[in-house]
């Protein structure tokens, strides 16, 4: 008997599996390098269709397959850390580390999708009772409507949970960045959660139309999509009315990681950033922004006395935000220093969101012996305090270092506390062009959500200049030395998202609980 059941289960699973995998791969095409963002509005529908038709156990498997297709393809750039022979890691061990990292982050993302599919499959077992005769005219629509609401709420809740941890990158919302600026403006209302909700909503309407064979659902989905874009266009069309200009120079040093931590790299970094600083200050900039760990030294008295860059600052007298290392007890910090024209460190911002395994070891007491045997990678940086406020002579800055660009709450907190413009500093030299492009997409979302101008300095690309509507006014090339001068404007506006945060997700959750509770109650009557 169990063999027959297993055979039937496998046959049904096989029939839907191709569509589910195809949907996951289509979603994987939406971020860089292909940036086929319109596919996101249909790519979730095959998974939805299969989950509703299947059992909760099958739903988990469907979710894993779709999630592996999406996250595995979108995050394949992580394998670009190989080879790490320049760090002393043997070639084969480097390959193993890269593959394990890719498999882990793919599984982590797939777990989110599997959790959503399980929730949908389990809650779908409850149907509106037929004896509700007073609702007979709308009874056929109750189950689809409740599933759509449940699907949106579950996905938004799970993304919020994943985003609250230390490992996060590929929200459904970032599939629309940096090109679909209209829909990204929904982020000004409730953050990336509202953009995700919009994508899930349209996919849900399409899937429910396929399930019920109501082909007019295609028109409903299209209409809903157009309305959502119209709302975003209304927000996008508001004039900026900018005041309080600030002219900033950006230096993209282009120091490859293969030499960055060695004498040849140190010399190239010092020469490149010194010359870039001199060139920019002679052109009249008010401040200069450098990338993450632009000068990979501990910023102390010995450095100030022996480095030509520091002497150039004293000679030119122009403020610089310098990436380097600080000290916190017996550990280093990944920091951005606000260095005044007199050589005084006005503020040191320490990176808050460190990269797991790359900059710190999760559950260090348990995993550290294993990691240390596997490779000589040093992953022991100290965390910065989450409540840091970066005051500058030009007003309060909103600062993010590299990986922090994926965490919207990190930027919202600083904006809500008075931040007037965004500065992000990144390295990104470990990877191919795909990762810097996706990183730029994250920074575009943060600029829109917070309604702030953003200056982005990276080591090897892509450095960029973004306005509060998410328009990229300048973007650098990849793997080349560049400088740029741009004008940003200090703003004190507060979007609905900045004031209230992601209010939509808890609201959807409460409504979902009420709807599902009502269905369970009626089922028991």
């Amino acid at each position: 008997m169990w063999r027959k059941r297993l055979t039937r289960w496998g046959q049904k699973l096989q029939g839907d599996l191709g569509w589910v995998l195809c949907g996951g791969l289509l979603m994987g095409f939406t971020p860089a390098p292909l940036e086929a963002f319109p596919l996101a509005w249909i790519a979730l529908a095959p998974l939805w269709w299969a989950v509703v038709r299947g059992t909760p156990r099958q739903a988990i498997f469907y979710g894993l397959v779709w999630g592996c297709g999406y996250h595995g393809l979108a995050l394949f750039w992580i394998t670009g850390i190989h080879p790490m022979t320049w760090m002393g890691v043997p070639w084969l061990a480097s390959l193993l580390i890269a593959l394990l990292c890719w498999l882990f982050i793919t599984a982590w993302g797939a777990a989110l999708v599997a959790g959503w599919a399980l929730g949908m499959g389990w809650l779908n077992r409850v149907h509106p009772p037929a004896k509700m005769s007073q609702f007979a005219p709308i009874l056929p629509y109750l189950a689809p409507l409740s599933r759509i609401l449940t699907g949106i709420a579950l996905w938004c809740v799970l993304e919020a949970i994943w985003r609250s941890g230390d490992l996060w990158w590929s929200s459904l919302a970032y599939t629309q960045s940096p090109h679909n600026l209209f829909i990204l403006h929904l982020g000004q209302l409730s953050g990336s959660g509202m953009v995700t909700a919009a994508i899930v909503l349209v996919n849900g309407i399409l899937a429910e139309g396929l399930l019920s064979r109501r082909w007019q659902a295609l028109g409903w989905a299209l209409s809903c999509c157009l309305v959502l874009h119209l709302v975003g266009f209304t927000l996008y069309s508001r004039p900026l009315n900018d005041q309080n200009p600030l002219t900033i120079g950006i230096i993209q040093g282009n120091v490859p990681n293969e030499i960055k931590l060695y004498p040849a790299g140190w010399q190239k970094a010092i020469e490149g950033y010194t010359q870039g600083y001199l060139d920019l200050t002679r052109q009249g900039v008010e401040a200069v922004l450098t990338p993450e760990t632009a000068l990979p030294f501990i910023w102390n008295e010995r450095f100030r006395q022996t480095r030509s860059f520091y002497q150039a600052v004293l000679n030119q007298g122009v403020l610089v935000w310098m990436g380097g290392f600080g000290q916190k007890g017996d550990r280093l910090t990944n920091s951005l220093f606000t260095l005044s024209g007199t050589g005084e460190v006005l503020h040191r911002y320490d990176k808050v969101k460190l990269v797991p395994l790359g900059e710190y070891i999760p559950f260090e007491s348990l995993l550290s012996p294993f990691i240390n045997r596997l490779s000589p990678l040093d992953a022991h940086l100290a965390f910065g305090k989450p409540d840091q406020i970066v005051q500058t002579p030009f007003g309060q800055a909103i600062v993010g270092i590299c990986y922090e660009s994926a965490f919207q709450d990190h930027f919202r907190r600083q904006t809500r506390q008075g931040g007037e413009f965004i500065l992000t500093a990144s390295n990104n030299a470990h990877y191919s062009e795909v990762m810097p492009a996706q990183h730029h997409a994250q920074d575009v979302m943060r600029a829109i959500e917070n309604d702030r101008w953003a200056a982005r300095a990276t080591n090897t690309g892509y450095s960029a200049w973004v306005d509060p509507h998410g328009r990229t006014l300048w973007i650098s090339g990849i793997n080349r030395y560049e400088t740029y001068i741009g004008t940003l404007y200090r703003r004190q506006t507060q979007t609905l998202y900045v004031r209230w945060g992601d209010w939509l997700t808890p609201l959807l959750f409460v409504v979902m609980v009420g709807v599902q509770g009502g269905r369970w109650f009626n089922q028991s009557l």
Side-chain angles (χ1 to χ4, degrees):
M1 178 64 68
W2 67 269
R3 290 183 179 179
K4 291 182 179 179
R5 290 182 178 178
L6 186 61
T7 300
R8 288 197 299 269
W9 187 83
Q11 289 174 344
K12 185 178 185 305
L13 197 65
Q14 187 177 6
D16 295 339
L17 193 58
W19 292 106
V20 172
L21 179 59
C22 181
L25 292 175
L26 287 178
M27 191 65 81
F29 294 152
T30 56
L34 295 182
E35 298 182 336
F37 67 91
L39 294 178
W41 300 92
I42 61 172
L44 184 60
L47 173 63
W48 191 302
W49 175 77
V51 164
V52 173
R53 282 164 39 93
T55 64
R57 289 184 180 180
Q58 291 172 333
I60 296 176
F61 190 74
Y62 289 139
L64 288 173
V65 169
W66 191 95
C68 286
Y70 170 41
H71 294 281
L73 190 57
L75 300 175
F76 188 73
W77 51 259
I78 192 68
T79 58
I81 62 176
H82 172 74
M84 292 179 281
T85 50
W86 57 277
M87 297 183 67
V89 183
W91 191 93
L92 188 58
S94 172
L95 178 62
L96 178 62
I97 292 170
L99 290 176
L100 287 176
C101 288
W102 176 58
L103 291 173
F104 181 79
I105 62 176
T106 297
W108 184 247
L112 182 155
V113 186
W116 177 85
L118 174 62
M120 286 287 287
W122 182 68
L123 293 172
N124 187 50
R125 295 184 304 168
V126 182
H127 302 284
K131 59 186 176 182
M132 295 172 63
S133 57
Q134 66 272 32
F135 299 109
I138 63 171
L139 198 58
Y141 300 97
L142 289 181
L145 287 174
S146 64
R147 278 197 298 265
I148 290 173
L149 175 62
T150 299
I152 298 170
L154 275 178
W155 201 291
C156 289
V157 167
L158 288 170
E159 279 204 359
I161 293 172
W162 258 242
R163 192 170 61 241
S164 66
D166 289 336
L167 189 59
W168 176 244
W169 187 263
S170 46
S171 164
L172 288 187
Y174 100 129
T175 64
Q176 303 302 292
S177 187
H179 300 295
N180 193 355
L181 298 181
F182 294 170
I183 208 67
L184 291 178
H185 273 70
L186 297 182
Q188 291 189 344
L189 303 180
S190 188
S192 65
M194 181 161 279
V195 180
T196 292
I199 295 171
V200 178
L201 170 62
V202 173
N203 277 276
I205 295 173
L206 284 175
E208 291 296 336
L210 291 172
L211 287 164
S212 61
R213 298 190 178 183
R214 292 186 176 91
W215 305 116
Q216 62 267 36
L218 180 61
W220 299 341
L222 182 59
S223 299
C224 185
C225 188
L226 289 174
V227 169
L228 290 167
H229 279 77
L230 181 61
V231 173
F233 173 74
T234 302
L235 296 171
Y236 176 86
S237 300
R238 293 185 303 179
L240 294 178
N241 297 323
D242 286 317
Q243 299 177 355
N244 303 316
L246 173 61
T247 303
I248 294 178
I250 291 176
I251 307 174
Q252 179 172 294
N254 193 35
V255 182
N257 274 6
E258 289 80 1
I259 65 172
K260 184 173 184 178
L261 300 179
Y262 301 99
W266 301 340
Q267 187 62 33
K268 182 175 181 178
I270 293 170
E271 291 177 356
Y273 287 106
T274 301
Q275 188 60 51
Y277 176 83
L278 291 173
D279 292 342
L280 291 171
T281 54
R282 287 166 182 164
Q283 295 178 65
V285 300
E286 298 174 76
V288 174
L289 176 65
T290 70
E292 174 189 22
T293 61
L295 297 182
F297 308 102
I298 299 174
W299 199 271
N300 53 27
E301 185 64 30
R302 180 175 177 273
F303 175 88
R304 291 195 290 271
Q305 292 176 351
T306 60
R307 301 303 179 186
S308 60
F309 181 86
Y310 183 75
Q311 296 304 317
V313 173
L314 294 180
N315 293 336
Q316 298 299 114
V318 175
L319 181 143
V320 60
W321 289 287
M322 171 53 60
F325 291 110
Q327 285 185 301
K328 194 174 189 179
D330 59 349
R331 294 197 174 185
L332 300 181
T333 60
N334 187 344
S335 303
L336 190 70
F337 296 86
T338 303
L339 186 65
S340 74
T342 61
E344 178 186 0
V345 176
L346 301 178
H347 189 277
R348 188 184 99 189
Y349 170 83
D350 298 332
K351 187 175 180 181
V352 178
K353 290 289 186 178
L354 300 180
V355 180
L357 298 182
E359 294 178 317
Y360 85 100
I361 300 176
F363 311 107
E364 185 170 356
S365 60
L366 179 65
L367 296 181
S368 183
F370 169 75
I371 297 296
N372 291 336
R373 284 197 301 269
L374 181 64
S375 77
L377 297 178
D378 186 9
H380 301 282
L381 292 179
F383 287 88
K385 295 181 179 179
D387 59 351
Q388 296 172 85
I389 295 176
V390 181
Q391 293 288 356
T392 78
F394 313 110
Q396 185 175 321
I398 304 159
V399 177
I401 297 180
C402 197
Y403 182 51
E404 292 176 329
S405 294
F407 297 88
Q408 61 179 18
D409 291 337
H410 174 78
F411 290 79
R412 171 186 171 260
R413 176 193 62 79
Q414 296 181 73
T415 305
R416 193 161 183 258
Q417 294 178 336
E420 299 177 289
F421 54 92
I422 296 175
L423 303 174
T424 61
S426 305
N427 186 1
N428 293 350
H430 329 287
Y431 312 104
S432 67
E433 299 177 15
V434 175
M435 189 275 182
Q438 291 189 11
H439 200 161
H440 174 64
Q442 300 279 9
D443 282 336
V444 167
M445 294 171 64
R446 306 293 87 87
I448 294 173
E449 292 159 359
N450 295 278
D451 193 33
R452 293 295 186 268
W453 285 80
R456 181 168 187 260
T458 71
N459 178 12
T460 55
Y462 296 104
S463 302
W465 205 268
V466 182
D467 77 4
H469 285 318
R471 294 173 295 212
T472 302
L473 306 181
W474 168 79
I475 189 166
S476 72
I478 197 79
N479 296 324
R480 66 190 190 199
Y481 181 90
E482 290 193 41
T483 60
Y484 177 78
I485 297 176
T487 301
L488 58 72
Y489 297 86
R490 292 166 284 172
R491 295 172 65 83
Q492 297 178 338
T493 59
Q494 288 202 342
T495 64
L496 188 63
Y497 165 67
V498 170
R499 293 197 299 270
W500 291 2
D502 182 13
W503 54 268
L504 179 65
T505 296
L507 176 63
L508 286 171
F509 180 75
V510 170
V511 174
M512 181 193 73
V513 170
V515 169
Q516 293 297 334
R519 292 179 69 195
W520 279 97
F521 177 76
N522 288 322
Q523 187 76 4
S524 64
L525 292 178

